[in-house]
Amino acid sequence: MARRSASLLRRLVCSSTPPPPLPGHGGGARRTVTYMPRPGDGTPRAITLIPGDGIGPLVTGAVRQVMEAMHAPVYFETYDVHGDMPAVPPAVIESIRRNKICLKGGLATPVGGGVSSLNMQLRKELDLYASLVHCSNMPGLPTRHQDVDIVVIRENTEGEYSGLEHEVVPGVVESLKVITKFCSERIAKYAFEYAYLNNRKKVTAVHKANIMKLADGLFLESCREVASKYPGIQYNEIIVDNCCMQLVAKPEQFDVMVTPNLYGNLVANTAAGIVGGTGVMPGGNVGQDHAVFEQGASAGNVGNENIIEHKKANPVALLLSSAMMLRHLQFPSFADRLEIAVKRVIADGKFRTKDLGGTSTTQEVTDAVIANLD
């Protein structure tokens, strides 16, 4: 009996006859599982649009053209906001609260004196506590490092960006860094939840607790507590100065990075530079109820007069941020079409702006993306 069973087993294992194809498919074809929307999911969604300053109108205009070409179920409520305004107009805040989604170009922030950052006002007013920047290699875009796929998740509402500064006496200014248990814990939760939902394997906390023992120590303590609830995700810590060195030396070692406010800005811009520049890195800011999507890394998001005059701003970052926005709105097919079209244009290499080694205008890149839409 045992010999008969062994003989049967050998015949089954050694058989070269392939299994029959799935019904309705050719040999070797694989059935894919479709996205099943809820009734009413195709209803067009209103998006608050802030073109912003500098190159903002160019790149947001590119997004509008691509959305229209795809017949995406979105429409825009456009507001004229500029970085030199004393505050974000109440009508804009109300529009974002109503629509829950905003797409924005860069808003110029005065250096030194002048008005406070409108970007910070938006984040605090809407409690957009998590900033997410996705830095990864793009096929066809040569870079020094390969296999880079980093997501930088940054606390967005406190730290050095709290805006608590005053002149103690003439010539002496005090700037307060505020770190709270509540904000540190919720950004850590968001980072680990993101890693869990996106099948990421590791979360790295970036800090300077060797010097700022209480403030960054509290941030690390919060990260460790949250990490203990996700045993399937590897957790480690790195001091911010070593982190910057490791980023430019061996960036492929990083996966998800969670940081306090200031460090996250530095790390995200560094990571973006490693994989092609800020012109191709998408990102967004999210809170419990609202989300604002924009170019992922802040460096160069307003551009310069030469780029604006010749209309050669790179729209790729904001187009990819718009794909993130479409996924956030549960329009996955439209998001996939947009992302695939952008990556085809980058891989093809015929239409690239100056920052990617080409000479194309914003409109030429936009037209190429539209031509590559499925």
Side-chain angles (χ1 to χ4, degrees), residues 104-140:
K104 65 180 281 292
L107 291 173
T109 300
V111 177
V115 298
S116 61
S117 167
L118 297 195
N119 296 303
M120 283 302 302
Q121 288 185 31
L122 274 174
R123 294 166 194 165
K124 290 185 176 181
E125 185 72 27
L126 300 168
D127 197 24
L128 303 171
Y129 68 87
S131 165
L132 187 149
V133 180
H134 188 186
C135 303
S136 61
N137 293 114
M138 299 190 71

Side-chain angles (χ1 to χ4, degrees), residues 52-202:
D53 297 314
I55 66 172
L58 284 172
V59 294
T60 55
V63 171
R64 296 188 71 153
Q65 291 181 57
V66 174
M67 292 292 182
E68 289 172 7
M70 287 198 301
H71 304 289
V74 299
Y75 61 95
F76 296 99
E77 296 178 1
T78 306
Y79 290 87
D80 193 29
V81 181
H82 299 284
D84 58 0
M85 291 179 170
V88 180
V92 178
I93 298 295
E94 176 56 34
S95 174
I96 299 174
R97 290 192 188 281
R98 180 176 63 252
N99 297 332
K100 302 187 182 302
I101 297 288
C102 174
L103 180 71
K104 65 180 281 292
L107 291 173
T109 300
V111 177
V115 298
S116 61
S117 167
L118 297 195
N119 296 303
M120 283 302 302
Q121 288 185 31
L122 274 174
R123 294 166 194 165
K124 290 185 176 181
E125 185 72 27
L126 300 168
D127 197 24
L128 303 171
Y129 68 87
S131 165
L132 187 149
V133 180
H134 188 186
C135 303
S136 61
N137 293 114
M138 299 190 71
L141 191 61
T143 59
R144 182 180 297 272
H145 299 281
Q146 298 302 316
D147 302 318
V148 179
D149 187 7
I150 302 170
V151 174
V152 181
I153 295 176
R154 159 192 174 195
E155 205 293 318
N156 229 3
T157 60
E158 57 176 19
E160 292 86 351
Y161 285 41
S162 300
L164 301 175
E165 296 183 311
H166 65 279
E167 189 174 41
V168 181
V169 296
V172 179
V173 172
E174 186 176 55
S175 180
L176 302 180
K177 171 177 177 172
V178 177
I179 297 287
T180 65
K181 175 77 169 178
F182 173 78
C183 289
S184 297
E185 192 172 78
R186 70 175 179 174
I187 195 64
K189 286 180 179 177
Y190 184 82
F192 275 91
E193 186 176 60
Y194 174 89
Y196 170 67
L197 293 174
N198 287 277
N199 195 30
R200 295 279 181 156
K201 307 304 181 186
K202 181 170 65 174

Side-chain angles (χ1 to χ4, degrees), residues 138-342:
M138 299 190 71
L141 191 61
T143 59
R144 182 180 297 272
H145 299 281
Q146 298 302 316
D147 302 318
V148 179
D149 187 7
I150 302 170
V151 174
V152 181
I153 295 176
R154 159 192 174 195
E155 205 293 318
N156 229 3
T157 60
E158 57 176 19
E160 292 86 351
Y161 285 41
S162 300
L164 301 175
E165 296 183 311
H166 65 279
E167 189 174 41
V168 181
V169 296
V172 179
V173 172
E174 186 176 55
S175 180
L176 302 180
K177 171 177 177 172
V178 177
I179 297 287
T180 65
K181 175 77 169 178
F182 173 78
C183 289
S184 297
E185 192 172 78
R186 70 175 179 174
I187 195 64
K189 286 180 179 177
Y190 184 82
F192 275 91
E193 186 176 60
Y194 174 89
Y196 170 67
L197 293 174
N198 287 277
N199 195 30
R200 295 279 181 156
K201 307 304 181 186
K202 181 170 65 174
V203 173
T204 301
V206 182
H207 68 93
K208 191 65 177 173
N210 57 324
I211 302 299
M212 286 169 272
K213 299 180 184 299
L214 292 180
D216 285 21
L218 179 59
F219 175 77
L220 282 186
E221 177 186 311
S222 302
C223 290
R224 290 167 185 168
E225 289 178 5
V226 174
S228 67
K229 300 174 183 176
Y230 290 84
I233 297 174
Q234 182 184 349
Y235 170 71
N236 66 348
E237 300 166 358
I238 189 168
I239 296 173
V240 63
D241 38 357
N242 183 33
C243 173
C244 292
M245 188 274 289
Q246 293 290 335
L247 269 174
V248 299
K250 295 192 293 184
E252 61 278 358
Q253 68 184 284
F254 295 107
D255 191 353
V256 176
M257 306 176 78
V258 59
T259 78
N261 207 332
L262 176 61
Y263 309 155
N265 195 14
L266 304 177
V267 167
N269 280 275
T270 302
I274 290 167
V275 289
T278 58
V280 294
M281 295 301 113
N285 307 278
V286 68
Q288 190 64 42
D289 300 309
H290 311 95
V292 175
F293 293 88
E294 58 186 338
Q295 178 175 308
S298 59
N301 66 350
V302 176
N304 59 54
E305 290 300 325
N306 186 55
I307 294 175
I308 298 165
E309 180 183 353
H310 293 92
K311 298 183 178 180
K312 290 189 174 183
N314 190 347
V316 167
L318 200 64
L319 286 169
L320 292 176
S321 296
S322 300
M324 288 175 58
M325 180 185 73
L326 289 169
R327 288 200 181 94
H328 186 80
L329 290 169
Q330 297 184 347
F331 297 140
S333 176
F334 289 94
D336 291 344
R337 290 172 60 200
L338 175 51
E339 182 177 350
I340 290 169
V342 169

Side-chain angles (χ1 to χ4, degrees), residues 1-25:
M1 183 68 181
R3 286 194 297 272
R4 289 174 57 194
S5 298
S7 176
L8 177 61
L9 181 60
R10 279 194 298 271
R11 288 201 302 272
L12 289 172
V13 171
C14 297
S15 174
S16 59
T17 305
L22 292 171
H25 290 259

